[in-house]
Amino acid sequence: MEKISVAVRFRPPNPAAADPSPGGAGGGGDREWRIDDTRVTLVHRAAGPAPGAPFVFDHVFDRTATNERVYGTVVRDLIGAVVDGFNATAFAYGQTSSGKTFTMNGSDADPGIIPRAVRDVFDTVRQTDDREFLVRVSYMEIYNEEINDLLTLEGRRLPIKENLERGVYVAGLREEIVNSAEQVFELLQLGEVNRHFGETNMNARSSRSHTIFRMVIESSAKNQIDSEDPIRVSVLNLVDLAGSERNNKTGTEGVRLNEAGHINKSLLMLGNVINKLSESGKQRGHIPYRDSKLTRILQPALGGNAKTSIICTAAPEEMHIEETRGTLKFASRAKCVSNCAQVNEILTDAALLKRQKREIEELRKKLQGSHSEGLEQVVLKLRNDMHKSELERDRLAMELEEERKLRMTLEHHLTEQQKKIEGLDNTSISADQFTDSTQLHALKTPDSKYIPDGFVAHRSRYSNDVEFSPLPENLDNIANDDLWTCLNKGCVTDLDMLEMTPGLKREASLLQDATSAAPLEEPTDARCQRLEKDCVSDQQQLEESNVRCAALEKERDLLRDKNSSLQQELSDSKREANLLIAEKQAQLDDSIARCVALERELSVSRQDAERLAAEKQELAGELGVERQKMEELKQDIRVISRAFSQREGQLTSLYTKSKAILENCKASHVATLP
Ligand code: ADP
Ligand code: MG
């Protein structure tokens, strides 16, 4: 178990409020926060420390602290741990304009935690020679308790899901595989653009939403021969929380209030979770992670399997003293929370690296010896395509499941409706269909229960059972179908049915008629009128039933139509999914084919190069021989020219001598002449 690391950072004061008192956070006014190493105390300038113990944290940074120092002290160690396979989270908590975003994002001159962490991840990965890595990133926002993907405009209101393999995850969230810090920065920029899209008041939004930047790092030992070896999967969350100020201070109304309500719900739940976790073991009880999206997503970082650092940012001004006190209290409670981080190694196919490994190996073999920038890009694109296809497949599976659920609900509804309709239809079933007397009995109206074969029980028995018949004798001979049709105003409903309809309540007077009053004592006209009235009311009820029945049938038809259109959509979606998968497969095949072709070209070029090298060597040999010959020739020339010059010397001296002799001869010849 290790405690969450908690740091507090005071931003520089507003220039108007600035007051450089030694050791103070510089808020100006009568009271100010005094920083003494890792302690923070509220002091009255005139009267000294305000009552109450000082707050003590792991690190306290004053206004002079740079992002570089904050990062180096609080976050740098987390990066090494993440690359080693531990989960890690760093989040900034504090009221609006206390410096959360400045701490997380920073400025060009002094980059914040996110850009520094991204660079460090890639530097550490590069320095880890014995493992190979797959890094992917996602960027999301929780706004009004809805999760939005910041890397794509389509990813709105994403659901949180959980399964054994992946744990808690945001379904449908875009994840991009990356292999350089620059790629991540481009994606972060895209996220910011998406976040601003259609937003009129960005400041209001940013102070009301939580942003979570996430890096998932998978790694396996290099040259791993055994595919059963574990893959390490770790997650780094860098979170810029919404402003922690209270509602009444922001004075929000209407939509804003709703937004603030959601934010406060998330932050409230974060506070609750931290409170619960800071309690000692037995008192703890249930930790309400599920009560907000934020705590659900950050669950491993809070009392779970992660190394966590919290940077609580505070404003030094006197007007913010109460908010700052709230922030410091939150930070103090967070200091009591312990996590239990361990390296995450998995053997299942849940690791993307594992799933992609074979393909990567093949590609790597193809690329061996080549340092082509273009080919590396092809590999990255392929990896991203593969991952996107997987995410797309997951999304489609999720939609399919939801549609299936909807269809089941509709089918259930339909069955219910059908049952209802059948129930209504049954009201027109003749009594003969009920073989079981108790069944029949149950369906009878109360009066008929009491007098099984009473009033209008069976027309066929009117003539035999006159004492039970409500009809006067003088109607006996016309008490046929025509009369009842006439009394029912054209309705040809079976009389037996009228008695058995459960919903058709018979007047209490009928009961009395059948039991006590002598049927024949009532005047015929009155009886007829009463009967006619009964029939009219029965008729009305029947008509109402028919209308209800028709409406239900219409509803059923509508549901059927809807169901069949849903089924159509379902099969369309399936077809689209299949097409998409086929398309992706084709793209993959195409890319692999391109890779193969490139590889072939590469090997042809390599052969050409080898042939040329051999030729070159041969030519170099020949050149050497020629050079040798030339040297020999030069040597010969040197010898010849030396001999030549010797000869020339001899000739010159001979010439000189013969010239002298000639001169002598001439001279002696002249002397001998007379
Ligand atoms: P929050 O994200 O908490 O609402 P911001 O990070 O947007 O607050 O900070 C509000 C303002 O204060 C911004 O202009 C920011 O540049 C400035 N600021 C915050 N912290 C610092 C700091 N440590 N050094 C310099 N400026 C800061
Ligand atoms: Mg901010």
Side-chain angles (χ1 to χ4, degrees), residues 95-102 105 195 203 206-209 211 240-243:
Q95 73 178 108
T96 296
S97 102
S98 58
K100 297 181 296 299
T101 306
F102 184 81
N105 294 359
R195 203 162 167 227
N203 285 343
S206 73
S207 70
R208 287 172 173 79
S209 63
T211 53
D240 185 354
L241 291 173

Side-chain angles (χ1 to χ4, degrees), residues 9-14 62-67 70 92-107 110 203 206-207 240-245 313-314:
R9 180 187 201 184
F10 280 90
R11 69 153 162 74
N14 283 332
D62 64 11
R63 62 195 143 153
T64 61
T66 57
N67 280 332
V70 174
Y93 177 98
Q95 73 178 108
T96 296
S97 102
S98 58
K100 297 181 296 299
T101 306
F102 184 81
T103 302
M104 295 313 288
N105 294 359
S107 59
D110 186 16
N203 285 343
S206 73
S207 70
D240 185 354
L241 291 173
S244 61
E245 60 275 359
T313 54

Side-chain angles (χ1 to χ4, degrees), residues 402-415:
E402 261 156 32
E403 284 192 8
R404 212 169 274 151
K405 269 189 208 150
L406 188 70
R407 208 187 66 196
M408 270 160 71
T409 319
L410 283 172
E411 275 174 1
H412 179 72
H413 194 62
L414 209 71
T415 329

Side-chain angles (χ1 to χ4, degrees), residues 278-298:
S278 63
E279 286 168 3
S280 62
K282 275 187 186 157
Q283 297 161 345
R284 243 192 217 186
H286 166 72
I287 313 285
Y289 291 113
R290 284 174 171 267
D291 288 359
S292 82
K293 302 238 156 98
L294 180 70
T295 45
R296 191 109 195 262
I297 290 175
L298 293 184

